[in-house]
Amino acid sequence: MAVLVIDIGSSSVRAMLFDDHARPVPGAAAIRPHQFITQPPGAAYADAMTLRRLTEACLDEILEHPLAAQI
């Protein structure tokens, strides 16, 4: 069994696989950095379509891992 974890954070989007003992699976991590948009001054937001694209890219990469068949 494998558990897929997706983290859409403030500096990057990550996807990782963990085994059934909650240990990270070697070679099963995908990371795509991003930055908040900070204009106008005082604002901080992320573009939803960019986050979607980055999330999909991470998932595509993780799904190539042999253990992904056991998610």
Side-chain angles (χ1 to χ4, degrees):
M1 180 178 86
V3 176
L4 171 64
V5 175
I6 302 168
D7 174 16
I8 302 173
S10 59
S11 63
S12 65
V13 174
R14 300 173 195 84
M16 295 180 67
L17 290 180
F18 289 82
D19 67 16
D20 53 355
H21 296 286
R23 295 178 297 220
V25 173
I31 301 171
R32 300 292 187 279
H34 74 88
Q35 293 182 326
F36 282 116
I37 299 164
T38 57
Q39 292 297 324
Y45 64 94
D47 178 70
M49 293 307 292
T50 297
L51 292 178
R52 176 183 173 173
R53 180 180 52 78
L54 296 172
T55 301
E56 289 173 348
C58 285
L59 290 173
D60 288 344
E61 183 177 335
I62 287 295
L63 291 175
E64 292 181 16
H65 192 280
L67 199 61
Q70 298 178 28
I71 294 174

Short mmCIF file of all heavy atoms in Angstrom, two decimals:
data_model
loop_
_atom_site.label_atom_id
_atom_site.label_comp_id
_atom_site.label_asym_id
_atom_site.label_seq_id
_atom_site.Cartn_x
_atom_site.Cartn_y
_atom_site.Cartn_z
N MET A 1 0.84 -1.18 0.00
CA MET A 1 0.00 0.00 0.00
C MET A 1 0.88 1.24 0.00
O MET A 1 1.96 1.25 0.59
CB MET A 1 -0.90 0.02 1.24
CG MET A 1 -1.79 1.23 1.27
SD MET A 1 -2.92 1.28 2.68
CE MET A 1 -1.88 2.03 3.88
N ALA A 2 0.42 2.28 -0.66
CA ALA A 2 1.12 3.56 -0.68
C ALA A 2 0.11 4.68 -0.43
O ALA A 2 -1.05 4.58 -0.82
CB ALA A 2 1.80 3.78 -2.03
N VAL A 3 0.58 5.71 0.23
CA VAL A 3 -0.25 6.88 0.52
C VAL A 3 0.34 8.04 -0.27
O VAL A 3 1.54 8.31 -0.18
CB VAL A 3 -0.27 7.19 2.03
CG1 VAL A 3 -1.04 8.47 2.31
CG2 VAL A 3 -0.85 6.03 2.81
N LEU A 4 -0.51 8.72 -1.01
CA LEU A 4 -0.10 9.91 -1.76
C LEU A 4 -0.41 11.14 -0.93
O LEU A 4 -1.54 11.31 -0.46
CB LEU A 4 -0.86 9.98 -3.10
CG LEU A 4 -0.71 11.26 -3.90
CD1 LEU A 4 0.74 11.44 -4.36
CD2 LEU A 4 -1.66 11.25 -5.08
N VAL A 5 0.59 11.99 -0.75
CA VAL A 5 0.42 13.24 -0.01
C VAL A 5 0.70 14.39 -0.96
O VAL A 5 1.72 14.39 -1.66
CB VAL A 5 1.37 13.30 1.21
CG1 VAL A 5 1.26 14.65 1.90
CG2 VAL A 5 1.06 12.16 2.16
N ILE A 6 -0.20 15.37 -0.97
CA ILE A 6 -0.04 16.57 -1.80
C ILE A 6 0.00 17.76 -0.85
O ILE A 6 -0.88 17.92 -0.01
CB ILE A 6 -1.20 16.73 -2.79
CG1 ILE A 6 -1.29 15.50 -3.70
CG2 ILE A 6 -1.03 18.01 -3.61
CD1 ILE A 6 -2.56 15.45 -4.51
N ASP A 7 1.03 18.60 -1.00
CA ASP A 7 1.20 19.78 -0.17
C ASP A 7 1.28 21.00 -1.09
O ASP A 7 2.25 21.14 -1.83
CB ASP A 7 2.46 19.64 0.68
CG ASP A 7 2.80 20.89 1.47
OD1 ASP A 7 1.93 21.78 1.63
OD2 ASP A 7 3.95 20.99 1.94
N ILE A 8 0.27 21.84 -1.04
CA ILE A 8 0.29 23.09 -1.79
C ILE A 8 0.65 24.17 -0.78
O ILE A 8 -0.20 24.64 -0.02
CB ILE A 8 -1.05 23.37 -2.49
CG1 ILE A 8 -1.39 22.20 -3.42
CG2 ILE A 8 -0.99 24.69 -3.24
CD1 ILE A 8 -2.76 22.28 -4.04
N GLY A 9 1.94 24.50 -0.73
CA GLY A 9 2.43 25.40 0.29
C GLY A 9 2.71 26.80 -0.22
O GLY A 9 2.41 27.14 -1.36
N SER A 10 3.32 27.58 0.65
CA SER A 10 3.56 28.99 0.31
C SER A 10 4.76 29.18 -0.61
O SER A 10 4.88 30.23 -1.24
CB SER A 10 3.76 29.80 1.59
OG SER A 10 4.85 29.30 2.33
N SER A 11 5.64 28.17 -0.70
CA SER A 11 6.81 28.33 -1.57
C SER A 11 6.91 27.27 -2.65
O SER A 11 7.68 27.41 -3.59
CB SER A 11 8.09 28.32 -0.74
OG SER A 11 8.24 27.06 -0.10
N SER A 12 6.14 26.18 -2.51
CA SER A 12 6.19 25.13 -3.52
C SER A 12 4.98 24.23 -3.41
O SER A 12 4.26 24.23 -2.42
CB SER A 12 7.47 24.30 -3.37
OG SER A 12 7.45 23.60 -2.15
N VAL A 13 4.79 23.44 -4.48
CA VAL A 13 3.81 22.37 -4.50
C VAL A 13 4.61 21.08 -4.45
O VAL A 13 5.62 20.94 -5.16
CB VAL A 13 2.95 22.42 -5.78
CG1 VAL A 13 2.03 21.21 -5.87
CG2 VAL A 13 2.16 23.71 -5.83
N ARG A 14 4.19 20.15 -3.59
CA ARG A 14 4.92 18.88 -3.44
C ARG A 14 3.94 17.72 -3.49
O ARG A 14 2.81 17.83 -3.01
CB ARG A 14 5.62 18.82 -2.09
CG ARG A 14 6.63 19.90 -1.85
CD ARG A 14 7.13 19.82 -0.40
NE ARG A 14 7.83 21.01 -0.01
CZ ARG A 14 7.25 22.12 0.44
NH1 ARG A 14 5.95 22.19 0.55
NH2 ARG A 14 7.98 23.15 0.76
N ALA A 15 4.41 16.61 -4.01
CA ALA A 15 3.67 15.35 -3.95
C ALA A 15 4.68 14.29 -3.54
O ALA A 15 5.81 14.27 -4.03
CB ALA A 15 3.04 15.01 -5.28
N MET A 16 4.26 13.42 -2.61
CA MET A 16 5.15 12.37 -2.12
C MET A 16 4.36 11.11 -1.89
O MET A 16 3.16 11.15 -1.60
CB MET A 16 5.82 12.78 -0.80
CG MET A 16 6.75 13.95 -0.89
SD MET A 16 7.49 14.37 0.71
CE MET A 16 8.50 12.94 1.01
N LEU A 17 5.06 9.98 -1.99
CA LEU A 17 4.48 8.71 -1.61
C LEU A 17 5.09 8.27 -0.28
O LEU A 17 6.28 8.43 -0.04
CB LEU A 17 4.77 7.63 -2.65
CG LEU A 17 4.07 7.77 -4.00
CD1 LEU A 17 4.48 6.61 -4.91
CD2 LEU A 17 2.57 7.80 -3.83
N PHE A 18 4.23 7.69 0.57
CA PHE A 18 4.65 7.11 1.83
C PHE A 18 4.20 5.66 1.87
O PHE A 18 3.16 5.32 1.30
CB PHE A 18 4.04 7.88 3.01
CG PHE A 18 4.63 9.25 3.19
CD1 PHE A 18 4.19 10.32 2.43
CD2 PHE A 18 5.63 9.46 4.14
CE1 PHE A 18 4.73 11.58 2.60
CE2 PHE A 18 6.18 10.72 4.31
CZ PHE A 18 5.74 11.78 3.54
N ASP A 19 4.98 4.82 2.56
CA ASP A 19 4.59 3.42 2.67
C ASP A 19 3.57 3.25 3.79
O ASP A 19 3.16 4.24 4.43
CB ASP A 19 5.81 2.51 2.84
CG ASP A 19 6.54 2.69 4.17
OD1 ASP A 19 5.99 3.29 5.12
OD2 ASP A 19 7.70 2.23 4.25
N ASP A 20 3.16 2.01 4.03
CA ASP A 20 2.12 1.78 5.03
C ASP A 20 2.60 1.93 6.47
O ASP A 20 1.82 1.78 7.41
CB ASP A 20 1.46 0.41 4.82
CG ASP A 20 2.46 -0.72 4.78
OD1 ASP A 20 3.67 -0.47 4.81
OD2 ASP A 20 2.01 -1.87 4.71
N HIS A 21 3.87 2.30 6.64
CA HIS A 21 4.40 2.63 7.97
C HIS A 21 4.70 4.12 8.08
O HIS A 21 5.46 4.54 8.96
CB HIS A 21 5.66 1.81 8.26
CG HIS A 21 5.39 0.34 8.32
ND1 HIS A 21 4.76 -0.27 9.38
CD2 HIS A 21 5.65 -0.65 7.44
CE1 HIS A 21 4.66 -1.56 9.16
NE2 HIS A 21 5.19 -1.82 7.97
N ALA A 22 4.15 4.91 7.17
CA ALA A 22 4.31 6.37 7.14
C ALA A 22 5.75 6.80 6.89
O ALA A 22 6.15 7.89 7.28
CB ALA A 22 3.75 7.01 8.41
N ARG A 23 6.52 5.97 6.19
CA ARG A 23 7.90 6.32 5.81
C ARG A 23 7.90 6.81 4.37
O ARG A 23 7.24 6.22 3.52
CB ARG A 23 8.81 5.12 5.96
CG ARG A 23 8.97 4.62 7.39
CD ARG A 23 9.85 3.41 7.42
NE ARG A 23 9.19 2.34 6.66
CZ ARG A 23 9.17 1.06 7.02
NH1 ARG A 23 9.78 0.67 8.12
NH2 ARG A 23 8.55 0.16 6.28
N PRO A 24 8.66 7.86 4.07
CA PRO A 24 8.76 8.32 2.69
C PRO A 24 9.34 7.22 1.80
O PRO A 24 10.27 6.53 2.20
CB PRO A 24 9.71 9.51 2.75
CG PRO A 24 9.76 9.91 4.18
CD PRO A 24 9.45 8.69 4.99
N VAL A 25 8.78 7.08 0.62
CA VAL A 25 9.28 6.11 -0.35
C VAL A 25 10.44 6.76 -1.10
O VAL A 25 10.28 7.85 -1.68
CB VAL A 25 8.16 5.69 -1.32
CG1 VAL A 25 8.71 4.81 -2.43
CG2 VAL A 25 7.03 4.99 -0.57
N PRO A 26 11.62 6.14 -1.11
CA PRO A 26 12.77 6.72 -1.82
C PRO A 26 12.45 6.95 -3.31
O PRO A 26 11.86 6.09 -3.97
CB PRO A 26 13.86 5.65 -1.66
CG PRO A 26 13.48 4.90 -0.42
CD PRO A 26 11.97 4.88 -0.43
N GLY A 27 12.82 8.12 -3.79
CA GLY A 27 12.61 8.45 -5.20
C GLY A 27 11.19 8.79 -5.57
O GLY A 27 10.87 8.90 -6.75
N ALA A 28 10.33 8.98 -4.57
CA ALA A 28 8.92 9.26 -4.84
C ALA A 28 8.52 10.62 -4.28
O ALA A 28 7.62 10.74 -3.45
CB ALA A 28 8.03 8.15 -4.27
N ALA A 29 9.22 11.63 -4.74
CA ALA A 29 8.89 13.00 -4.34
C ALA A 29 9.02 13.91 -5.55
O ALA A 29 9.96 13.79 -6.33
CB ALA A 29 9.83 13.48 -3.23
N ALA A 30 8.05 14.79 -5.71
CA ALA A 30 8.07 15.77 -6.80
C ALA A 30 7.85 17.15 -6.19
O ALA A 30 6.96 17.31 -5.35
CB ALA A 30 6.99 15.46 -7.82
N ILE A 31 8.63 18.11 -6.59
CA ILE A 31 8.53 19.47 -6.04
C ILE A 31 8.57 20.48 -7.18
O ILE A 31 9.41 20.37 -8.08
CB ILE A 31 9.70 19.75 -5.07
CG1 ILE A 31 9.69 18.74 -3.92
CG2 ILE A 31 9.62 21.19 -4.54
CD1 ILE A 31 10.91 18.82 -3.04
N ARG A 32 7.65 21.43 -7.13
CA ARG A 32 7.63 22.52 -8.10
C ARG A 32 7.53 23.84 -7.32
O ARG A 32 6.53 24.10 -6.66
CB ARG A 32 6.42 22.44 -9.04
CG ARG A 32 6.34 21.17 -9.88
CD ARG A 32 7.46 21.10 -10.90
NE ARG A 32 7.31 19.99 -11.81
CZ ARG A 32 7.65 18.73 -11.56
NH1 ARG A 32 8.15 18.41 -10.39
NH2 ARG A 32 7.51 17.79 -12.47
N PRO A 33 8.57 24.68 -7.36
CA PRO A 33 8.53 25.94 -6.62
C PRO A 33 7.57 26.94 -7.26
O PRO A 33 7.29 26.88 -8.46
CB PRO A 33 9.97 26.44 -6.68
CG PRO A 33 10.58 25.75 -7.84
CD PRO A 33 9.84 24.46 -8.04
N HIS A 34 7.09 27.84 -6.44
CA HIS A 34 6.29 28.97 -6.93
C HIS A 34 6.45 30.14 -5.96
O HIS A 34 6.99 29.97 -4.87
CB HIS A 34 4.80 28.59 -7.09
CG HIS A 34 4.05 28.45 -5.80
ND1 HIS A 34 3.43 29.50 -5.18
CD2 HIS A 34 3.84 27.37 -5.01
CE1 HIS A 34 2.86 29.08 -4.07
NE2 HIS A 34 3.09 27.79 -3.94
N GLN A 35 6.01 31.29 -6.38
CA GLN A 35 6.08 32.48 -5.53
C GLN A 35 4.73 33.16 -5.50
O GLN A 35 3.98 33.12 -6.48
CB GLN A 35 7.12 33.47 -6.06
CG GLN A 35 8.54 32.97 -5.97
CD GLN A 35 9.51 34.02 -6.48
OE1 GLN A 35 9.22 34.78 -7.40
NE2 GLN A 35 10.69 34.06 -5.88
N PHE A 36 4.45 33.78 -4.37
CA PHE A 36 3.24 34.59 -4.28
C PHE A 36 3.36 35.82 -5.15
O PHE A 36 4.46 36.34 -5.39
CB PHE A 36 3.00 35.06 -2.84
CG PHE A 36 2.42 34.01 -1.94
CD1 PHE A 36 3.12 33.55 -0.85
CD2 PHE A 36 1.15 33.50 -2.18
CE1 PHE A 36 2.59 32.60 -0.01
CE2 PHE A 36 0.60 32.55 -1.35
CZ PHE A 36 1.33 32.10 -0.27
N ILE A 37 2.25 36.30 -5.62
CA ILE A 37 2.17 37.59 -6.31
C ILE A 37 2.01 38.63 -5.21
O ILE A 37 1.14 38.48 -4.33
CB ILE A 37 0.98 37.61 -7.29
CG1 ILE A 37 1.18 36.51 -8.34
CG2 ILE A 37 0.83 38.99 -7.93
CD1 ILE A 37 -0.08 36.17 -9.12
N THR A 38 2.84 39.66 -5.21
CA THR A 38 2.82 40.62 -4.10
C THR A 38 2.52 42.04 -4.55
O THR A 38 2.96 43.00 -3.92
CB THR A 38 4.17 40.58 -3.35
OG1 THR A 38 5.21 40.87 -4.28
CG2 THR A 38 4.40 39.24 -2.69
N GLN A 39 1.80 42.17 -5.63
CA GLN A 39 1.38 43.50 -6.08
C GLN A 39 -0.13 43.57 -6.05
O GLN A 39 -0.79 42.62 -6.45
CB GLN A 39 1.88 43.77 -7.50
CG GLN A 39 3.38 43.91 -7.60
CD GLN A 39 3.91 45.09 -6.82
OE1 GLN A 39 3.27 46.13 -6.74
NE2 GLN A 39 5.06 44.91 -6.20
N PRO A 40 -0.71 44.59 -5.53
CA PRO A 40 -0.13 45.82 -5.01
C PRO A 40 0.58 45.58 -3.66
O PRO A 40 0.43 44.52 -3.07
CB PRO A 40 -1.33 46.74 -4.84
CG PRO A 40 -2.48 45.83 -4.60
CD PRO A 40 -2.18 44.59 -5.40
N PRO A 41 1.34 46.57 -3.20
CA PRO A 41 2.04 46.43 -1.92
C PRO A 41 1.09 45.97 -0.81
O PRO A 41 -0.04 46.46 -0.70
CB PRO A 41 2.57 47.84 -1.65
CG PRO A 41 2.75 48.43 -3.01
CD PRO A 41 1.59 47.88 -3.82
N GLY A 42 1.55 44.99 -0.05
CA GLY A 42 0.74 44.45 1.04
C GLY A 42 -0.07 43.23 0.65
O GLY A 42 -0.60 42.53 1.50
N ALA A 43 -0.17 42.96 -0.65
CA ALA A 43 -0.93 41.80 -1.12
C ALA A 43 -0.03 40.57 -1.14
O ALA A 43 1.19 40.69 -1.24
CB ALA A 43 -1.49 42.06 -2.51
N ALA A 44 -0.64 39.42 -1.02
CA ALA A 44 0.09 38.15 -1.17
C ALA A 44 -0.93 37.10 -1.60
O ALA A 44 -1.79 36.70 -0.83
CB ALA A 44 0.77 37.75 0.12
N TYR A 45 -0.84 36.68 -2.86
CA TYR A 45 -1.76 35.66 -3.36
C TYR A 45 -1.09 34.85 -4.45
O TYR A 45 -0.05 35.23 -4.97
CB TYR A 45 -3.07 36.30 -3.86
CG TYR A 45 -2.91 37.22 -5.06
CD1 TYR A 45 -3.10 36.73 -6.34
CD2 TYR A 45 -2.57 38.55 -4.90
CE1 TYR A 45 -2.94 37.56 -7.44
CE2 TYR A 45 -2.42 39.38 -5.99
CZ TYR A 45 -2.60 38.88 -7.25
OH TYR A 45 -2.45 39.71 -8.34
N ALA A 46 -1.67 33.71 -4.73
CA ALA A 46 -1.14 32.83 -5.77
C ALA A 46 -2.20 32.65 -6.85
O ALA A 46 -3.40 32.63 -6.55
CB ALA A 46 -0.75 31.48 -5.18
N ASP A 47 -1.76 32.50 -8.06
CA ASP A 47 -2.66 32.28 -9.18
C ASP A 47 -3.16 30.83 -9.15
O ASP A 47 -2.36 29.89 -9.16
CB ASP A 47 -1.93 32.56 -10.50
CG ASP A 47 -2.80 32.30 -11.69
OD1 ASP A 47 -3.76 33.06 -11.91
OD2 ASP A 47 -2.52 31.30 -12.40
N ALA A 48 -4.46 30.65 -9.09
CA ALA A 48 -5.05 29.31 -8.96
C ALA A 48 -4.69 28.41 -10.14
O ALA A 48 -4.42 27.21 -9.95
CB ALA A 48 -6.56 29.42 -8.80
N MET A 49 -4.69 28.93 -11.34
CA MET A 49 -4.37 28.10 -12.50
C MET A 49 -2.90 27.66 -12.49
O MET A 49 -2.58 26.55 -12.90
CB MET A 49 -4.70 28.83 -13.80
CG MET A 49 -6.20 29.05 -13.99
SD MET A 49 -7.18 27.52 -13.85
CE MET A 49 -6.65 26.67 -15.31
N THR A 50 -2.02 28.52 -12.00
CA THR A 50 -0.61 28.13 -11.87
C THR A 50 -0.47 27.02 -10.85
O THR A 50 0.23 26.03 -11.09
CB THR A 50 0.25 29.35 -11.46
OG1 THR A 50 0.17 30.33 -12.50
CG2 THR A 50 1.70 28.96 -11.22
N LEU A 51 -1.14 27.15 -9.70
CA LEU A 51 -1.08 26.10 -8.69
C LEU A 51 -1.65 24.79 -9.23
O LEU A 51 -1.12 23.71 -8.95
CB LEU A 51 -1.82 26.53 -7.43
CG LEU A 51 -1.17 27.66 -6.64
CD1 LEU A 51 -2.04 28.02 -5.44
CD2 LEU A 51 0.24 27.31 -6.22
N ARG A 52 -2.71 24.87 -10.01
CA ARG A 52 -3.28 23.67 -10.61
C ARG A 52 -2.27 23.00 -11.54
O ARG A 52 -2.05 21.78 -11.48
CB ARG A 52 -4.55 24.01 -11.38
CG ARG A 52 -5.14 22.82 -12.09
CD ARG A 52 -6.35 23.19 -12.90
NE ARG A 52 -6.77 22.04 -13.68
CZ ARG A 52 -7.87 22.01 -14.38
NH1 ARG A 52 -8.68 23.05 -14.42
NH2 ARG A 52 -8.18 20.94 -15.08
N ARG A 53 -1.63 23.78 -12.39
CA ARG A 53 -0.64 23.25 -13.33
C ARG A 53 0.53 22.60 -12.60
O ARG A 53 0.97 21.51 -12.95
CB ARG A 53 -0.15 24.37 -14.25
CG ARG A 53 0.88 23.94 -15.28
CD ARG A 53 1.33 25.10 -16.16
NE ARG A 53 1.77 26.28 -15.42
CZ ARG A 53 2.95 26.41 -14.82
NH1 ARG A 53 3.83 25.44 -14.87
NH2 ARG A 53 3.26 27.53 -14.18
N LEU A 54 1.01 23.23 -11.55
CA LEU A 54 2.11 22.69 -10.77
C LEU A 54 1.71 21.41 -10.05
O LEU A 54 2.49 20.45 -9.99
CB LEU A 54 2.62 23.73 -9.77
CG LEU A 54 3.23 25.00 -10.38
CD1 LEU A 54 3.52 26.02 -9.28
CD2 LEU A 54 4.47 24.68 -11.17
N THR A 55 0.51 21.38 -9.52
CA THR A 55 0.00 20.19 -8.84
C THR A 55 -0.12 19.04 -9.82
O THR A 55 0.30 17.90 -9.53
CB THR A 55 -1.36 20.48 -8.18
OG1 THR A 55 -1.21 21.56 -7.24
CG2 THR A 55 -1.90 19.26 -7.45
N GLU A 56 -0.66 19.30 -10.99
CA GLU A 56 -0.79 18.25 -12.01
C GLU A 56 0.58 17.73 -12.45
O GLU A 56 0.75 16.52 -12.66
CB GLU A 56 -1.58 18.77 -13.20
CG GLU A 56 -3.06 18.97 -12.88
CD GLU A 56 -3.83 19.65 -13.99
OE1 GLU A 56 -3.21 20.19 -14.94
OE2 GLU A 56 -5.07 19.66 -13.90
N ALA A 57 1.56 18.62 -12.55
CA ALA A 57 2.91 18.20 -12.94
C ALA A 57 3.52 17.29 -11.87
O ALA A 57 4.15 16.27 -12.18
CB ALA A 57 3.81 19.41 -13.17
N CYS A 58 3.32 17.63 -10.61
CA CYS A 58 3.80 16.78 -9.52
C CYS A 58 3.12 15.41 -9.55
O CYS A 58 3.77 14.37 -9.39
CB CYS A 58 3.57 17.45 -8.16
SG CYS A 58 4.70 18.80 -7.78
N LEU A 59 1.82 15.41 -9.75
CA LEU A 59 1.09 14.14 -9.80
C LEU A 59 1.54 13.29 -10.97
O LEU A 59 1.74 12.07 -10.83
CB LEU A 59 -0.41 14.39 -9.87
CG LEU A 59 -1.04 14.96 -8.60
CD1 LEU A 59 -2.50 15.33 -8.85
CD2 LEU A 59 -0.91 13.99 -7.46
N ASP A 60 1.72 13.90 -12.12
CA ASP A 60 2.20 13.15 -13.29
C ASP A 60 3.54 12.49 -12.99
O ASP A 60 3.76 11.33 -13.34
CB ASP A 60 2.34 14.06 -14.51
CG ASP A 60 1.00 14.48 -15.10
OD1 ASP A 60 -0.02 13.84 -14.78
OD2 ASP A 60 1.00 15.45 -15.88
N GLU A 61 4.43 13.22 -12.33
CA GLU A 61 5.75 12.67 -12.00
C GLU A 61 5.63 11.52 -11.00
O GLU A 61 6.24 10.46 -11.18
CB GLU A 61 6.65 13.77 -11.43
CG GLU A 61 8.05 13.30 -11.14
CD GLU A 61 8.96 14.41 -10.65
OE1 GLU A 61 8.70 15.60 -10.96
OE2 GLU A 61 9.93 14.09 -9.95
N ILE A 62 4.85 11.69 -9.96
CA ILE A 62 4.69 10.65 -8.93
C ILE A 62 4.05 9.40 -9.52
O ILE A 62 4.42 8.27 -9.16
CB ILE A 62 3.85 11.19 -7.75
CG1 ILE A 62 4.67 12.16 -6.92
CG2 ILE A 62 3.32 10.06 -6.88
CD1 ILE A 62 5.87 11.56 -6.23
N LEU A 63 3.10 9.57 -10.41
CA LEU A 63 2.41 8.41 -10.96
C LEU A 63 3.31 7.53 -11.84
O LEU A 63 2.94 6.41 -12.16
CB LEU A 63 1.16 8.85 -11.72
CG LEU A 63 0.05 9.41 -10.84
CD1 LEU A 63 -1.10 9.93 -11.68
CD2 LEU A 63 -0.43 8.37 -9.83
N GLU A 64 4.50 8.01 -12.17
CA GLU A 64 5.46 7.20 -12.91
C GLU A 64 6.24 6.25 -12.00
O GLU A 64 6.89 5.32 -12.47
CB GLU A 64 6.43 8.10 -13.67
CG GLU A 64 5.75 8.86 -14.80
CD GLU A 64 6.71 9.74 -15.57
OE1 GLU A 64 7.95 9.56 -15.44
OE2 GLU A 64 6.23 10.62 -16.29
N HIS A 65 6.18 6.47 -10.69
CA HIS A 65 6.90 5.63 -9.75
C HIS A 65 6.22 4.26 -9.68
O HIS A 65 4.98 4.17 -9.67
CB HIS A 65 6.91 6.28 -8.36
CG HIS A 65 7.86 5.64 -7.41
ND1 HIS A 65 7.56 4.48 -6.75
CD2 HIS A 65 9.11 5.99 -7.04
CE1 HIS A 65 8.58 4.13 -5.99
NE2 HIS A 65 9.54 5.04 -6.15
N PRO A 66 6.98 3.17 -9.63
CA PRO A 66 6.38 1.83 -9.60
C PRO A 66 5.40 1.60 -8.44
O PRO A 66 4.40 0.89 -8.61
CB PRO A 66 7.59 0.90 -9.47
CG PRO A 66 8.74 1.69 -9.97
CD PRO A 66 8.43 3.12 -9.69
N LEU A 67 5.64 2.21 -7.30
CA LEU A 67 4.75 2.02 -6.16
C LEU A 67 3.42 2.76 -6.31
O LEU A 67 2.47 2.50 -5.57
CB LEU A 67 5.46 2.42 -4.86
CG LEU A 67 4.88 1.88 -3.57
CD1 LEU A 67 4.90 0.35 -3.57
CD2 LEU A 67 5.63 2.43 -2.38
N ALA A 68 3.33 3.67 -7.27
CA ALA A 68 2.10 4.43 -7.46
C ALA A 68 0.92 3.53 -7.79
O ALA A 68 -0.23 3.88 -7.52
CB ALA A 68 2.28 5.49 -8.55
N ALA A 69 1.17 2.37 -8.33
CA ALA A 69 0.07 1.43 -8.64
C ALA A 69 -0.62 0.94 -7.37
O ALA A 69 -1.72 0.40 -7.44
CB ALA A 69 0.61 0.24 -9.42
N GLN A 70 0.01 1.17 -6.23
CA GLN A 70 -0.55 0.71 -4.96
C GLN A 70 -1.18 1.83 -4.14
O GLN A 70 -1.46 1.66 -2.96
CB GLN A 70 0.53 0.02 -4.13
CG GLN A 70 1.08 -1.21 -4.79
CD GLN A 70 2.17 -1.84 -3.95
OE1 GLN A 70 2.20 -1.72 -2.73
NE2 GLN A 70 3.09 -2.52 -4.60
N ILE A 71 -1.40 2.98 -4.74
CA ILE A 71 -2.03 4.09 -4.01
C ILE A 71 -3.45 3.68 -3.63
O ILE A 71 -4.19 3.19 -4.42
CB ILE A 71 -2.05 5.38 -4.85
CG1 ILE A 71 -0.63 5.88 -5.08
CG2 ILE A 71 -2.87 6.48 -4.16
CD1 ILE A 71 -0.52 7.06 -6.03
#
